[in-house]
Amino acid sequence: MHPLRIVLAQLAPRLGMLDENLARHMEALASARAGGADLVVFPELGLTGYQLQDLAAEVAMRVDDPRLAGLAAATVGLSAIVSFVEEASDHRLFISAALLEDGAVRFVHRKLFLPTYGLFDERRFFAAGDRLRTVDSRLGPRLGIAVCEDFWHLAVPETLALDGAQILINVSSSPGRDLAAMHEVGLGTAASWRNLMRTYAQLTTSFVVFCNRVGVDETISFWGGSEVIAPSGETIFTAPLFDEGLHFVDIELGDVRRERISLPLLRDERPELHLRELRRILAERTEMAIDAASDPPDDRPQPGASEPS
Amino acid sequence: MAAGAGHEPVDGGGESAERLFELPPELAIDTDVALRVIVGFIRNQLRQAGFSRGLLGLSGGIDSALVAFLVADAIGPENLLCVLMPYRTSSSESVEHGRLVVGRLGCPSDAVDISPIVDGYFGRDGEEGAGGAAATEATPLRRGNFMARARMCVLYDRSVEWGGLVVGTGNKTESLIGYTTLFGDSACAFNPIGDLYKSQVRQVAAAVGVPEEIIRKAPSADLWPGQTDEAEAGFHYPELDRLLFWMIDKRRSDEELLAMGFLEAQIERVKRLVAVSEFKRQVPPVAKLGPRTTGVDYLYPRRRPGSARR
């Protein structure tokens, strides 16, 4: 079995300059193709830049936009994940990541979780996606695609793995911050991300591919450090911090099988248990009456019942 | 301010036997990462604005010395203009230290004596200036603010013929406590060190090779002879930095700060300084009248496409 060749396009998009970024994506695709790439991963909002504010509407594209089709046309015999501002037919704006394959836009994931706290203000400008699906790919294994903050919610990698993904792909525009001497790489953000991705790879026994941008938008510097993690949780590749670059990483898809045979965590997952408890939690949260008939008998002490002294 | 339990200042300056500066451990940063971010920030700010040159006011103190080193590193010393702008009562050491930085970097420099500007307004030796008789009795605060704004005027004027952007040199500590002159020393196109506390400025300054005598000397606005920040405002920078760090960056409550060993009077004083200077850190508010108002619901990146001057 040939290894799968992934290219991490750790680019510094130009803020609001769609045509220029499209051209750079085309160049990167050409270089990746020349280097024998199977899958090229670009960062979150790589086609537009991140700190768009009111520019978001001005750089938005419909999924059938000819410019996106032009980019897709460059993926014959190749897979690529690109990210842009998507305008829906009802004119909502999404932060989207599209899988382009064999010349077509095959799948679009709309960012589910829009951070609107601290230095983030995404919910002001964007709508949140409401669909989390894996996608079959010409590459063989099913892919799970997520955007940045999506991976700060446990349910996302978990759901993608349960839905059959063997490669979890996160495209990001993660701003570097929390500079301190005590962190692994002198940057709190990078240390946190690395912990998360190793953990997800291990717990889902899947490959995790992380492509984070570099460059500066306004006050924010993006830290790069794109990575590929094996299903064992071991890091296969880490890109340099802050530098632009195309990084070629070969992975052995057989590693997923080996890991899942020896460590059958996914086999042992209990989604039905999870779902049952989630239903209960949701009902309690919304103070709706629990449908007693659908609940298993519960013999725990009820609140107010006498406790053994 | 008392040192918190378990707080052991580490010696800045690495292996040198003599301590160069005091660095509270929680404020220690990875200077390599900081330099990557700052140098990239400077290059991007200039490129996105369509400029390849910068200029700054070099006071002889550590903040402007550090920024000069950072800008020279980012765009080359030949693209940095350092402007020395002493007043007649400025300490001679300030000018010497300014020249030391210029000599070390090999960058172009310019000296502008702001005395005629300042004296022209406040008067001198009993002679009235443009400000009239009352201005001859102006307090040091008024005179200091005027000097800071005179320097701003000179820098922005020089920026036109130099064809560069004015680079800010204010640090996070002075910004948070409001120890700056609005539209004076805080005026700039962008600021590479505005998120570094004074203690961190010292750490980065040591890392990039700012001369030791500049790192070591007592910080001063040098607005009147013998003035030092710490004597004027009654604080010790490493302790003030720690308090601000825990209060603001780490969101500790008063009770938690007290439990860490900070004194109630200091907490109250610093909180008041921060609150009272909020106006200095923000763009002035505009009365909301129309459908789209700048800064309210007209929100564009400062460096949007088409914003570059050339």
Side-chain angles (χ1 to χ4, degrees), chain A residues 44 111-117 120 122 146-153 156 170-172 177 193:
Chain A
E44 176 186 16
K111 189 175 188 177
L112 300 168
F113 293 92
L114 302 176
T116 305
Y117 56 79
F120 302 108
E122 293 183 13
V147 179
C148 203
E149 187 86 355
D150 290 346
F151 260 32
W152 284 75
H153 295 268
V156 173
N170 182 288
V171 301
S172 281
R177 57 202 186 278
W193 268 103

Side-chain angles (χ1 to χ4, degrees), chain A residues 64-302:
Chain A
D64 59 3
D65 191 289
R67 290 168 294 186
L68 195 58
L71 199 56
T75 62
V76 175
L78 199 64
S79 304
I81 294 167
V82 302
S83 175
F84 58 101
V85 177
E86 181 200 349
E87 181 165 344
S89 54
D90 60 4
H91 308 298
R92 284 181 300 166
L93 303 179
F94 295 94
I95 298 174
S96 291
L99 174 66
L100 313 179
E101 276 192 349
D102 281 336
V105 180
R106 187 180 178 98
F107 175 81
V108 174
H109 170 77
R110 294 169 168 173
K111 189 175 188 177
L112 300 168
F113 293 92
L114 302 176
T116 305
Y117 56 79
L119 75 170
F120 302 108
D121 201 15
E122 293 183 13
R123 198 69 177 85
R124 179 183 173 87
F125 302 101
F126 296 104
D130 49 16
R131 190 179 270 249
L132 181 59
R133 303 286 161 84
T134 54
V135 56
D136 280 318
S137 161
R138 57 179 284 283
L139 301 169
R142 221 189 272 185
L143 308 180
I145 299 170
V147 179
C148 203
E149 187 86 355
D150 290 346
F151 260 32
W152 284 75
H153 295 268
L154 276 172
V156 173
E158 182 190 20
T159 306
L160 291 173
L162 287 170
D163 198 29
Q166 298 193 10
I167 303 177
L168 307 182
I169 299 165
N170 182 288
V171 301
S172 281
S173 286
S174 170
R177 57 202 186 278
D178 190 12
L179 226 63
M182 70 192 89
H183 298 305
E184 179 191 2
V185 287
L187 199 61
T189 339
S192 304
W193 268 103
R194 289 182 180 186
N195 283 337
L196 293 183
M197 290 181 298
R198 284 154 181 67
T199 306
Y200 295 152
Q202 172 78 90
L203 294 184
T204 64
T205 47
S206 305
F207 282 102
V208 172
V209 176
F210 172 67
C211 184
N212 185 31
R213 66 164 287 189
V214 291
V216 182
D217 282 0
E218 305 288 283
T219 58
I220 299 172
S221 299
F222 301 90
W223 55 276
S226 300
E227 291 198 318
V228 178
I229 323 280
S232 61
E234 279 175 55
T235 306
I236 298 171
F237 174 80
T238 302
L241 300 189
F242 301 111
D243 286 328
E244 271 199 301
L246 290 185
H247 302 285
F248 292 71
V249 187
D250 288 353
I251 64 172
E252 292 289 345
L253 290 174
D255 286 350
V256 175
R257 180 173 190 274
R258 272 186 289 280
E259 190 66 24
R260 289 183 180 186
I261 295 290
S262 61
L263 189 66
L265 299 179
L266 267 184
R267 180 197 70 190
D268 297 344
E269 284 292 334
R270 302 280 305 275
E272 73 293 343
L273 168 75
H274 196 178
L275 183 61
R276 197 167 64 229
E277 298 302 336
L278 281 176
R279 282 205 175 113
R280 174 186 59 77
I281 291 164
L282 278 176
E284 287 172 5
R285 272 196 180 188
T286 52
E287 295 177 29
M288 288 158 56
I290 300 170
D291 179 2
S294 69
D295 280 323
D298 191 344
D299 56 6
R300 290 171 306 168
Q302 295 303 305

Side-chain angles (χ1 to χ4, degrees), chain A residues 14-17 51-55 58 118 121 124-125 178-187 215-221 241-243, chain B residues 25-30 33-34 36-38 40-41 44-45 47-48 196 200 203 250-251 292 296-306:
Chain A
R14 299 287 169 88
L15 186 59
M17 303 175 84
Q51 196 76 321
L52 292 162
Q53 299 183 293
D54 284 346
L55 282 173
E58 296 171 29
D121 201 15
R124 179 183 173 87
F125 302 101
D178 190 12
L179 226 63
M182 70 192 89
H183 298 305
E184 179 191 2
V185 287
L187 199 61
V216 182
D217 282 0
E218 305 288 283
T219 58
I220 299 172
S221 299
L241 300 189
F242 301 111
D243 286 328
Chain B
E26 64 269 54
L27 293 176
I29 55 173
D30 185 320
V33 175
R36 279 304 309 263
V37 172
I38 293 172
F41 172 80
N44 271 278
Q45 286 295 321
R47 182 179 55 72
Q48 290 168 7
L196 292 177
Q200 296 169 327
Q203 199 196 346
K250 296 298 181 183
R251 302 171 193 261
R292 274 185 105 187
V296 180
D297 42 21
Y298 173 87
L299 299 173
Y300 277 88
R302 189 181 172 96
R303 300 305 178 200
R304 61 189 285 186

Side-chain angles (χ1 to χ4, degrees), chain B residues 202-213:
Chain B
R202 290 169 171 157
Q203 199 196 346
V204 179
V208 297
V210 171
E212 277 197 19
E213 50 268 56

